[in-house]
Amino acid sequence: MTAVQPSLPDASFGIHAMDGSPLTISPGANATALPCSDNIDSKRVLVVGAGPVGLFLALRLAQSGIKVTVLEKGPHTSELPRACGYAAAVQHEFAKAGIYEKIKEAGGFITAGPCWRKAPVDNGLGGKDNGELVATFKRHIDDPKMPPGSGTLNFPQAQLSELLCKEAVDTGLVDVRFNAELESIQDHGDETGSNKKVRITVKDLILGSSFSLSGLYLVGADGASSTTRKLLKIPFAGHTWDRKLLATDVWIQNYEETLHPTSYVMDPTYFCVITPLTEPKKDADSLWRYTIGLPATASDTSDDELLTAESVESLYEQLMAGPRPLKYRVTNKSVYSIHQRLASTMRRGRILLAGDAAHVCNPIGALGLNTGLLDVMALHETLTMIINEKFPENLLDDYSDERRKAFQMLVDPMSTYNLLRLTYLDIDQATTDDWFFRALKNGNVRTMKMMEKQFTEIWVTNMREIAQVGTTK
Ligand SMILES: Cc1cc2nc3c(=O)[nH]c(=O)nc-3n(C[C@H](O)[C@H](O)[C@H](O)COP(=O)(O)OP(=O)(O)OC[C@H]3O[C@@H](n4cnc5c(N)ncnc54)[C@H](O)[C@@H]3O)c2cc1C
């Protein structure tokens, strides 16, 4: 490797381009470099990736008084159409971080449970009506103030990342560097904790030069193709589905009252998840996410072709209810491959993995980012206990074990069957065969309670409790 000089400016914390100048990341984010009395030093935690997981971790660590440098290879936070629904457990974490109400002020809103339905049908008037209801998840929102946990919190991932970036930087302890790519890892630190340093090389994508950087710990929150995971040669076993997803954000008029904001449209060829991105009101226009499951044969078509206006229009013709000709405005679209994979460990020495870098699942049921944000809950607690309260380093192994268990025991099987459930060949038969549809239909309280328990007892990790009782040693 070529010799590298540390070129990271050490004068202030804030949002920066790699030359150290304050950077406007995207509308809404705080572009002001914040003065900080401390110089950057090796006592910081390094986070690779300014996705929602990396930025939420940076915010939570800073709230515990820990300095963080976030390295992001992109020029700003991602604007791709991805997650938009956050579960009760995550809402409670947002509330602890003081951002639950801020998300609602920025346009986040609560919706009740989803429904499953057949594809839209011709209504004899030239348009289409919503397809027959197959099942509904009856979830009531009792408190008009919508406290955390009232229902699902809807808020686009791109806006969440912007908000998290601003909140993290506003603490004065977080430094976010864009156009900064993790290139190599020189030293991942000692497993026993005797070598208390991580050392990496970072490439400045504007200047084309590289420099080295050290920190107390490093967290790879660099997404499904994680460079951190690959450099550490951590296996990522699992499979890639033969289907792709086409996600589109689209403004349409709401011709009728929205009784079930999120609809899972069941179809063995083209299934679809329809979710609101702005609060839907009858007769008004609102922004919706149409995430369309494409058949395996679509793999023969290039992503560019799948994204043409004609291709999107023909899918909307099948999947969108309402009068014809269709009137809509697409603002964002992207094609995704989908996977079920889990890293063989989420710890190597003083380097940890979190979010998609550690585990990926298909997005049906919104388990991907939610699980990553719950990794943050566990990792924030773990690092705070080790750095601030001198707990032993082996708590990092417990973090890895507990979060991998959450994926293996809940996230992987549940997301897998969430997808398969949308592709039944005989939908009518599915309602009598499938235990989940039968439980919904019959209001089976025991089954529903059992499912709820999994979300509180398996999905969420209380690291303080683990530190007391131990885990799988
Ligand atoms: C269509 C769709 C809908 C979805 N809906 C939901 C949903 O409703 N709810 C839900 O919970 N999940 C959902 N998901 C999943 C969710 O989008 C992901 O789980 C989430 O993006 C993971 O966040 P992350 O921060 O771990 O990774 P990412 O968002 O992928 O961020 C990683 C960041 O790391 C950066 N990076 C990568 N390599 C480097 C490097 N070498 N150096 C520096 N930076 C680097 C990248 O540029 C990126 O900004 C959905 C996904 C899709 C595709």
Side-chain angles (χ1 to χ4, degrees):
M1 183 174 311
T2 47
V4 286
Q5 295 299 318
S7 68
L8 195 71
D10 62 3
S12 63
F13 278 64
I15 301 174
H16 292 88
M18 277 310 298
D19 61 0
S21 58
L23 187 74
T24 304
I25 56 158
S26 45
N30 183 356
T32 315
L34 296 166
C36 179
S37 54
D38 270 323
N39 282 346
I40 295 177
D41 57 40
S42 61
K43 295 231 171 70
R44 71 198 137 184
V45 171
L46 303 175
V47 172
V48 184
V53 170
L55 290 168
F56 190 43
L57 180 67
L59 171 64
R60 295 300 279 139
L61 290 174
Q63 288 173 334
S64 296
I66 297 166
K67 285 185 282 186
V68 183
T69 291
V70 181
L71 302 163
E72 167 58 50
K73 70 176 179 182
H76 48 68
T77 53
S78 168
E79 289 164 355
L80 286 173
R82 293 177 76 179
C84 56
Y86 308 95
V90 168
Q91 292 168 39
H92 289 295
E93 290 309 299
F94 286 160
K96 273 193 227 160
I99 58 168
Y100 176 75
E101 290 301 331
K102 289 181 184 175
I103 290 173
K104 286 207 293 173
E105 281 160 26
F109 56 98
I110 299 289
T111 56
C115 72
W116 287 256
R117 53 167 84 247
K118 295 183 185 176
V121 287
D122 290 341
N123 60 11
L125 302 167
K128 284 195 172 179
D129 287 343
N130 277 319
E132 189 189 328
L133 267 181
V134 172
T136 57
F137 203 125
K138 292 192 194 87
R139 196 158 178 199
H140 300 290
I141 300 174
D142 298 324
D143 188 336
K145 287 196 189 124
M146 309 283 186
S150 307
T152 300
L153 174 64
N154 289 51
F155 193 56
Q157 178 172 329
Q159 279 169 258
L160 178 69
S161 296
E162 265 183 31
L163 185 143
L164 289 171
C165 192
K166 179 185 179 310
E167 291 294 320
V169 168
D170 281 354
T171 61
L173 292 181
V174 176
D175 179 40
V176 182
R177 303 271 154 175
F178 289 98
N179 303 301
E181 183 176 28
L182 169 67
E183 201 172 44
S184 64
I185 297 170
Q186 272 80 52
D187 190 350
H188 60 64
D190 197 286
E191 303 270 340
T192 59
S194 55
N195 172 12
K196 292 191 181 298
K197 209 165 65 178
V198 170
R199 208 155 62 83
I200 58 171
T201 302
V202 180
K203 184 161 190 184
D204 176 333
L205 296 175
I206 302 286
L207 298 177
S209 55
S210 302
F211 60 93
S212 63
L213 202 59
S214 54
L216 207 44
Y217 295 93
L218 180 143
V219 179
D222 42 357
S225 310
S226 170
T227 308
T228 312
R229 189 190 64 235
K230 287 177 186 166
L231 289 171
L232 293 172
K233 297 193 168 40
I234 296 175
F236 201 38
H239 70 95
T240 296
W241 293 84
D242 60 1
R243 285 168 169 274
K244 284 184 176 181
L245 294 183
L246 170 65
T248 63
D249 293 355
V250 54
W251 285 95
I252 36 180
Q253 189 180 346
N254 304 299
Y255 292 99
E256 51 185 51
E257 205 69 58
T258 306
L259 298 177
H260 305 285
T262 293
S263 296
Y264 293 107
V265 177
M266 299 170 67
D267 187 274
T269 316
Y270 293 100
F271 64 81
C272 183
V273 184
I274 305 172
T275 321
L277 300 178
T278 61
E279 199 157 11
K281 302 221 163 51
K282 187 173 178 294
D283 296 327
D285 288 358
S286 64
L287 188 61
W288 291 82
R289 161 77 47 74
Y290 273 64
T291 305
I292 301 164
L294 305 171
T297 48
S299 302
D300 302 335
T301 312
S302 72
D303 288 359
D304 284 347
E305 282 174 82
L306 293 169
L307 288 165
T308 60
E310 296 71 35
S311 152
V312 172
E313 167 105 16
S314 79
L315 293 168
Y316 284 171
E317 276 299 340
Q318 292 181 58
L319 294 162
M320 222 176 237
R324 297 305 191 261
L326 284 172
K327 285 193 191 139
Y328 60 84
R329 185 165 58 88
V330 176
T331 57
N332 207 353
K333 53 188 173 179
S334 191
V335 175
Y336 299 94
S337 296
I338 44 175
H339 324 266
Q340 306 288 137
R341 291 182 188 275
L342 173 64
S344 61
T345 178
M346 289 169 70
R347 177 203 183 182
R348 180 121 317 146
R350 301 172 78 79
I351 298 188
L352 296 312
L353 297 177
D356 275 18
H359 41 68
V360 283
C361 61
N362 81 79
I364 312 302
L367 292 172
L369 178 53
N370 278 294
T371 304
L373 294 169
L374 294 174
D375 291 347
V376 170
M377 170 192 176
L379 189 51
H380 160 241
E381 199 75 85
T382 307
L383 289 175
T384 302
M385 283 192 282
I386 295 173
I387 297 170
N388 291 352
E389 301 167 44
K390 309 293 171 226
F391 273 77
E393 297 278 333
N394 62 13
L395 210 51
L396 296 172
D397 289 329
D398 296 335
Y399 160 75
S400 171
D401 286 350
E402 290 301 313
R403 296 314 296 159
R404 291 186 72 252
K405 263 194 262 173
F407 185 83
Q408 286 178 329
M409 292 173 69
L410 174 78
V411 177
D412 191 26
M414 192 173 275
S415 58
T416 295
Y417 284 101
N418 284 345
L419 191 155
L420 293 177
R421 199 166 272 129
L422 300 190
T423 60
Y424 275 109
L425 287 176
D426 184 340
I427 297 172
D428 292 323
Q429 189 66 38
T431 58
T432 48
D433 285 353
D434 186 304
W435 65 269
F436 178 67
F437 285 139
R438 273 209 314 280
L440 287 179
K441 200 163 133 196
N442 301 335
N444 185 328
V445 177
R446 193 179 145 270
T447 299
M448 287 326 203
K449 280 220 164 100
M450 184 264 289
M451 284 185 61
E452 227 166 81
K453 211 167 153 191
Q454 286 188 303
F455 282 110
T456 50
E457 292 184 6
I458 299 178
W459 208 21
V460 175
T461 305
N462 181 338
M463 286 303 297
R464 282 202 181 264
E465 210 173 276
I466 301 291
Q468 306 284 322
V469 300
T471 173
T472 45
K473 287 186 194 71

